[in-house]
Amino acid sequence: MDHLEKLEAKSVYIFREAYREFKNLCMLWSVGKDSTVLLWLARKAFFGHVPFPLVHIDTSYKIPEMIEYRDKLALKWNLNMVYGQNIKALEKKETYPDGNADRLTCCKNLKTEALRHTLAGDWPRYKMNHLKGKYEIDTNSEPYTGVIAGVRADEEGSRSKERYFSPRDVENEWDIADQPPELWNQYKTDFAPGTHLRIHPLLDWTELNIWEYIGREKIPTVSLYFDQGEGKRYRSLGCAPCTGTVESTAKNVEEIVEELRSGKFSNIAERSGREQDKEDGGLETLRKDGYM
């Protein structure tokens, strides 16, 4: 086995272990490169069929191409696609683009709160109707208590503190100092009733691994990751008002892999284009409160 094959095998094992141990699973799909590799691995783990819903938190500020790509792939791969929103915050304009919130508060409103209530099932969820090709109110409001996410330890500091099987309390809050050890690939999957669990099959993957795997498997990705002729591309995708590009002439997967291997970005954080990370407390503050 080469390194990518070992990573793939471990991720597939985590998927199957989670599916065997936990009920009411869902998987977060941000439409970015990591969670799309996660989706690809889920299809491999379960022989082309993803046996749990994919959940997208739609802030309404995502770059339009991302939403088009989400729905196109959901139909093509027959995915059980669900999205949730913080409609009240959008209606009250409690957002950064409307000028009524700072970036972190906007993230908390549109992502953390929307995720919390979408998972709990106490806010409306919208499910893709494949026959009509559009979303409708999901009649299933049962809570999701196990959440699979495309978190990588190398992406940023707070994510390096995660576990493969990471417990949250009933409010989705994360106590970094109180997590089970995972030594020698021994995973704790027995938790007290009511525990909300995050599962991270990509924890050991790096940014380079992700792009190498996308190239090897020919996984479709959003074209925003590639230079369209302006010498810039997105390295990390998020909401349009808070996500910037990096200087790069990489026009395809092979050129991104070459760029990463060259060390061009070795001293530049992968999320350097995410403005909310530069606010006081940044991503760790958001993640302690339940951010994805």
Side-chain angles (χ1 to χ4, degrees):
M1 276 188 170
D2 64 21
H3 187 56
L4 286 182
E5 289 170 336
K6 290 178 182 175
L7 288 172
E8 178 190 78
K10 188 172 183 177
S11 297
V12 166
Y13 172 81
I14 297 294
F15 266 115
R16 292 174 177 167
E17 187 74 358
Y19 189 62
R20 185 174 72 94
E21 293 288 340
F22 306 110
K23 295 180 179 178
N24 298 331
L25 280 176
C26 72
M27 188 167 85
L28 301 182
W29 186 27
S30 71
V31 189
K33 62 187 186 304
D34 302 326
S35 61
T36 302
V37 164
L38 192 71
L39 170 57
W40 187 267
L41 289 164
R43 295 176 77 232
K44 278 205 169 187
F46 303 106
F47 308 102
H49 169 66
V50 182
F52 32 74
L54 268 77
V55 173
H56 180 83
I57 299 304
D58 191 343
T59 63
S60 86
Y61 289 107
K62 294 292 178 68
I63 302 170
E65 183 180 336
M66 297 170 67
I67 303 301
E68 293 169 11
Y69 169 85
R70 178 196 72 185
D71 294 343
K72 180 180 176 182
L73 221 56
L75 290 168
K76 182 178 179 180
W77 288 352
N78 196 32
L79 303 172
N80 183 1
M81 190 73 227
V82 172
Y83 80 81
Q85 279 187 314
N86 188 341
I87 295 174
K88 292 181 181 177
L90 290 169
E91 288 177 345
K92 293 179 180 177
K93 299 187 182 301
E94 296 172 340
T95 73
Y96 171 76
D98 288 310
N100 297 323
D102 59 29
R103 294 180 195 273
L104 284 184
T105 304
C106 182
C107 269
K108 183 176 181 180
N109 290 343
L110 299 187
K111 295 181 179 177
T112 306
E113 287 301 310
L115 177 64
R116 186 197 310 270
H117 291 283
T118 299
L119 296 179
D122 54 11
W123 282 3
R125 298 194 292 225
Y126 301 89
K127 181 179 178 180
M128 170 66 80
N129 181 324
H130 284 260
L131 294 176
K132 298 179 179 178
K134 64 180 185 180
Y135 288 90
E136 298 176 341
I137 291 283
D138 188 359
T139 56
N140 175 22
S141 59
E142 195 170 0
Y144 301 127
T145 53
V147 182
I148 303 168
V151 166
R152 294 184 0 251
D154 80 319
E155 189 179 356
E156 57 80 38
S158 69
R159 287 174 171 161
S160 68
K161 301 170 186 174
E162 283 285 6
R163 301 288 188 267
Y164 276 99
F165 295 92
S166 179
R168 302 310 204 245
D169 67 15
V170 292
E171 297 297 326
N172 279 347
E173 293 178 356
W174 181 35
D175 185 352
I176 297 174
D178 184 20
Q179 299 187 91
E182 292 183 333
L183 305 174
W184 304 286
N185 290 339
Q186 300 297 307
Y187 307 117
K188 176 177 170 55
T189 56
D190 182 20
F191 295 95
T195 303
H196 172 87
L197 204 71
R198 300 285 179 93
I199 300 142
H200 305 120
L202 295 184
L203 211 53
D204 282 346
W205 293 61
T206 66
E207 183 184 12
L208 176 59
N209 297 149
I210 290 293
W211 281 111
E212 289 174 331
Y213 191 72
I214 287 171
R216 193 181 76 172
E217 299 286 312
K218 296 181 172 49
I219 301 172
T221 56
V222 179
S223 67
L224 297 166
Y225 283 118
F226 309 118
D227 173 31
Q228 306 295 323
E230 298 180 347
K232 296 179 179 180
R233 69 177 183 84
Y234 288 91
R235 193 175 168 200
S236 177
L237 292 179
C239 293
C242 296
T243 308
T245 56
V246 295
E247 301 289 330
S248 170
T249 57
K251 293 181 172 56
N252 53 51
V253 174
E254 291 74 20
E255 290 180 7
I256 289 178
V257 169
E258 184 180 341
E259 189 174 63
L260 292 173
R261 285 176 177 167
S262 75
K264 174 180 177 178
F265 292 122
S266 58
N267 294 318
I268 302 174
E270 184 176 343
R271 291 176 59 95
S272 60
R274 300 291 197 98
E275 293 300 323
Q276 71 268 34
D277 288 18
K278 300 168 187 172
E279 301 284 317
D280 187 28
L283 192 59
E284 182 157 328
T285 297
L286 289 169
R287 299 196 77 246
K288 283 179 180 176
D289 291 336
Y291 183 84
M292 58 202 78

